[in-house]
Amino acid sequence: MVADSGSPLVLLVEDEAPLVRLVGGYLRREGYRVQATGEGGEAVDLARTCSPAVVVLDLGLPGLDGVEVCRQLRTFSDCYIIMLTARADEVDRLIGLSVGADDYVTKPFSPRELVLRVKAMLRRPRQQKAQPERWASGELRVDSLAREVYVGDRQIELTRTEFELLATLIAEPAAVHSRRDLIHRIWGEQWVGDEHLVDVHVGNLRKKLGDDPGSPRFIRTVRGVGYKLERGG
């Protein structure tokens, strides 16, 4: 499949040339346009000028590393970010997600799996229930049309994934959502990986909302099942 000018653009930020050729080839065969760089600073500049739909970002870049690139991207872009890491350490994964990455893949990985994740990203948002245009409970207010969230008078800046997670809970405020259910609704049914990704994003969302999981005002953990909205927060 040949990409045309209207095809989604994937920015591939990776300093290993063979991996760039391999992954870039897979993405192009699936019809995506691909820009590539091995420099973190250049990646930020490219993202400003070419507005990628998805950024595939290596954590271990020389100079400006992937965490800092991700942090800078989130100051001006809500593109989807998939972090690549050669380190299996859980801390590395959590740091990447905490600064705004949507997903991560640990090296070595299958290029086909990465392409599937890119496809899943670009099919979002996937909420099956209609979201209310405006919703409020206690101090929490959500405007789905403007994609704005407030706790009291304080506006909360959320990533696209965090907003979609909150919107999914709001769409069915009485329901308890399992990790698998949230994966299907937000990441897509074809997504493969560790379902505990949901826990990390819930944790990030709670932190931004100022919600204590031990005494939740907004999001409650239902032990052994999943998460649900806490009404009247």
Side-chain angles (χ1 to χ4, degrees):
M1 184 183 300
V2 179
D4 59 36
S5 59
S7 300
L9 175 65
V10 179
L11 177 58
L12 180 55
V13 189
E14 168 60 62
D15 65 327
E16 296 181 28
L19 187 57
V20 170
R21 290 193 293 270
L22 179 63
V23 173
Y26 271 83
L27 289 167
R28 290 186 179 95
R29 282 194 291 274
E30 290 297 325
Y32 298 112
R33 293 179 295 137
V34 178
Q35 284 257 28
T37 179
E39 298 289 336
E42 185 177 14
V44 175
D45 293 339
L46 282 172
R48 288 186 186 276
T49 57
C50 67
S51 300
V54 178
V55 176
V56 178
L57 175 61
D58 186 31
L59 179 66
L61 296 169
L64 199 66
D65 69 12
V67 169
E68 182 57 30
V69 172
C70 186
R71 184 179 288 111
Q72 292 191 25
L73 290 179
R74 282 293 174 245
T75 66
F76 64 87
S77 175
D78 66 349
C79 63
Y80 292 119
I81 299 175
I82 302 175
M83 193 77 81
L84 303 180
T85 175
R87 293 169 284 182
D89 190 288
E90 185 71 10
V91 173
D92 291 330
R93 302 176 187 180
L94 300 186
I95 289 174
L97 294 173
S98 70
V99 295
D102 299 284
D103 197 359
Y104 66 83
V105 177
T106 302
K107 298 178 182 178
F109 60 86
S110 162
R112 291 186 180 87
E113 177 186 333
L114 181 59
V115 170
L116 284 175
R117 294 202 188 192
V118 170
K119 286 182 176 180
M121 291 285 183
L122 293 176
R123 283 197 293 264
R124 295 163 62 182
R126 300 180 59 85
Q127 288 85 3
Q128 298 174 358
K129 300 289 184 178
Q131 302 171 25
E133 293 182 1
R134 292 178 177 83
W135 182 93
S137 180
E139 290 190 283
L140 181 61
R141 293 182 291 119
V142 179
D143 186 328
S144 293
L145 294 179
R147 297 182 72 85
E148 293 178 347
V149 177
Y150 293 85
V151 175
D153 295 328
R154 180 170 60 99
Q155 185 171 0
I156 310 300
E157 296 294 332
L158 300 181
T159 67
R160 191 183 301 192
T161 295
E162 291 161 357
F163 186 90
E164 290 172 8
L165 176 58
L166 182 59
T168 299
L169 296 174
I170 287 171
E172 296 181 276
V176 179
H177 296 276
S178 67
R179 292 188 187 101
R180 176 45 50 184
D181 178 54
L182 291 170
I183 287 287
H184 282 176
R185 290 171 183 264
I186 300 171
W187 282 267
E189 294 181 2
Q190 301 304 314
W191 184 90
V192 291
D194 186 353
E195 292 181 8
H196 284 84
L197 178 71
V198 173
D199 301 336
V200 178
H201 284 291
V202 169
N204 292 340
L205 178 57
R206 280 172 163 161
K207 183 176 180 180
K208 290 185 177 182
L209 296 177
D211 199 19
D212 178 3
S215 181
R217 295 185 295 158
F218 307 125
I219 301 172
R220 179 158 63 92
T221 300
V222 180
R223 189 174 299 278
V225 183
Y227 300 99
K228 69 169 297 185
L229 203 65
E230 189 71 69
R231 299 304 301 267

